[in-house]
Structures are given as structure tokens and as C-alpha cells.
Amino acid sequence: MKLSEMNTRQLAAALCKLTPPMSRIAEDEMLSGVFKRLKDAMLANEHMTSMQKMAMLMDAVPVLLEAHYADTVEIIAAMTGKSAAEIDEQNGMETIKELAGCIDSQFIDFFKSSAVTDKAETGRGEYLRRFTPTARRRR
């Protein structure tokens, strides 16, 4: 079910399940490096094609599927309403199809607006940095 189709209680539960694994992934230095390289390349070449950008983003795949496999499965489980074990055992292409059906612009916009960037260390993203389980453990 898409976030935009959920009632308030369902959305709250989904967001509570999504933010811890997404926070762990967002804190990964390898993944940050992928995005920094992409940002630097885009600044150096304002005429980069979508395919060039996509090729650079492919470096994120091993980070997500090797270094953060459990987090990725946890996110997919929260998005599809299945357990992590069900996601782990089902056909991979079915997983991709289900996940694609769950992602909508509201999902992307929510996490984009909540992200802390190197330009803005405060704002809505500050909540995620302060109150996620990972942040609380560091205190």
C-alpha cells in the first residue's frame, strides 16, 4: 500500500518501521561517498545525461544489497506489509514489482524533506538525527 493511501494510524506505524533502517543506511559513509561523487560530477558537468547519473548511482546497489541487506529487507517489508522472512524468501523480481507499486512521490518527498544535507544541518531532518534509535544510542 502506498503511503498516500494509508490512514493516519497506518502511516504512523509504517514511518516508525521505516525510519530506523533508513537512518542506518543514510549514515553509511560508503553511500555518502556515492552521493558526494555524483554531486561533484554534476557540478563539474552540468550537462550530465540521466544515464550518466544513473550509472554513478549503481555504486549504491552493493551498499544497499550487501552492507545493508537486512535494512533494505526491513524497508521493503514495511512498505509491502510483509514480514522480513517473507521478503527474504520470495522471488526477487516479485519483490521489485511489489516495491515499485508501493513507492509514490509522497514517499520520496517525505524522506527527501527529512534528510539532513551538508548545506542544512537543521530543520525537519534534525528530528531524524536526534530521535532515531541510532542517534539515541550514540548519546
Side-chain angles (χ1 to χ4, degrees), residues 7 21 39 49 77 91 96 99 126:
N7 66 32
K39 180 180 109 179
T49 66
N91 177 279
I96 291 170
L99 184 59
E126 188 68 22

Side-chain angles (χ1 to χ4, degrees), residues 16-30:
C16 287
K17 289 178 182 176
L18 287 168
T19 51
M22 292 184 100
S23 292
R24 288 188 296 270
I25 291 169
E27 291 174 345
D28 188 287
E29 293 298 323
M30 289 187 302

Side-chain angles (χ1 to χ4, degrees), residues 4-121:
S4 61
E5 298 170 347
M6 294 178 181
N7 66 32
T8 303
R9 185 173 298 281
Q10 291 168 320
L11 181 62
L15 293 176
C16 287
K17 289 178 182 176
L18 287 168
T19 51
M22 292 184 100
S23 292
R24 288 188 296 270
I25 291 169
E27 291 174 345
D28 188 287
E29 293 298 323
M30 289 187 302
L31 192 59
S32 294
V34 170
F35 290 112
K36 182 175 182 344
R37 286 189 298 279
L38 176 60
K39 180 180 109 179
D40 292 347
M42 289 172 60
L43 290 172
N45 178 7
E46 64 185 55
H47 301 292
M48 279 184 77
T49 66
S50 294
M51 292 302 283
Q52 288 171 316
K53 294 172 191 174
M54 198 168 25
M56 291 188 76
L57 280 174
M58 290 298 107
D59 290 342
V61 172
V63 176
L64 294 174
L65 297 181
E66 290 176 359
H68 289 282
Y69 179 81
D71 290 327
T72 302
V73 168
E74 197 174 328
I75 291 166
I76 296 168
M79 294 295 296
T80 61
K82 293 184 173 184
S83 71
E86 288 174 299
I87 296 299
D88 201 40
E89 293 298 320
Q90 80 177 17
N91 177 279
M93 296 310 288
E94 183 64 26
T95 301
I96 291 170
K97 181 180 171 186
E98 286 181 14
L99 184 59
C102 292
I103 296 176
D104 57 10
S105 62
Q106 285 88 352
F107 173 80
I108 301 298
D109 291 346
F110 173 80
F111 285 101
K112 252 203 290 194
S113 70
S114 298
V116 176
T117 66
D118 56 358
K119 290 184 182 178
E121 287 294 323

